[in-house]
Amino acid sequence: QVQVVESGGGLVQPGGSLRLSCVASARLFEFNSMGWYRQAPGKQRELVATITSGGKSTYADSVKGRFTISRDNAKNTIYLQMNSLKPEDTAVYYCNTWPSLDSWGQGTQVIVSS
């Protein structure tokens, strides 16, 4: 079972920013590429961003230029800095390895609304 704890979500106005954090177990984090995923109401879960153990990142086209993924290997933590948020970014955000394991954490809710 994936052992992660996501945090940092909340309600924010369009154009605002949030920073999500995900603390993973050392066993999960070490040597693995990690990813942020999200699932909006009524939609399938989608990949948002990935980062390798060496720090190389990729992004979905919908968030490119607005979101930044990073990792702190000493803390077994990955982050997602989200700027210029849009209502369509509203979703539950999850972290997992990339490719993902079959089980998921609780996620953290992000609501972008005025």
Side-chain angles (χ1 to χ4, degrees):
Q1 184 177 1
V2 65
Q3 294 177 327
V4 298
V5 178
E6 302 100 337
S7 63
L11 173 63
V12 63
Q13 292 186 341
S17 298
L18 283 174
R19 188 194 195 206
L20 307 184
S21 299
C22 168
V23 181
S25 63
R27 181 173 177 271
L28 185 72
F29 197 84
E30 191 177 12
F31 305 125
N32 276 321
S33 295
M34 299 293 294
W36 281 102
Y37 303 76
R38 67 185 180 186
Q39 186 167 21
K43 295 186 178 181
Q44 289 189 332
R45 187 176 284 135
E46 63 175 351
L47 179 65
V48 174
T50 68
I51 188 165
T52 66
S53 57
K56 183 176 180 180
S57 58
T58 64
Y59 299 92
D61 287 343
S62 59
V63 306
K64 204 170 290 183
R66 300 187 298 121
F67 290 11
T68 302
I69 188 172
S70 60
R71 67 191 286 164
D72 184 334
N73 291 334
K75 296 182 179 179
N76 298 334
T77 300
I78 63 169
Y79 305 95
L80 187 68
Q81 178 66 44
M82 305 187 297
N83 299 329
S84 302
L85 282 161
K86 304 175 181 179
E88 51 263 44
D89 295 318
T90 295
V92 179
Y93 285 71
Y94 303 87
C95 70
N96 205 320
T97 58
W98 177 73
S100 65
L101 299 174
D102 289 338
S103 63
W104 296 82
Q106 294 297 310
T108 186
Q109 175 78 59
V110 172
I111 300 174
V112 184
S113 176
S114 55

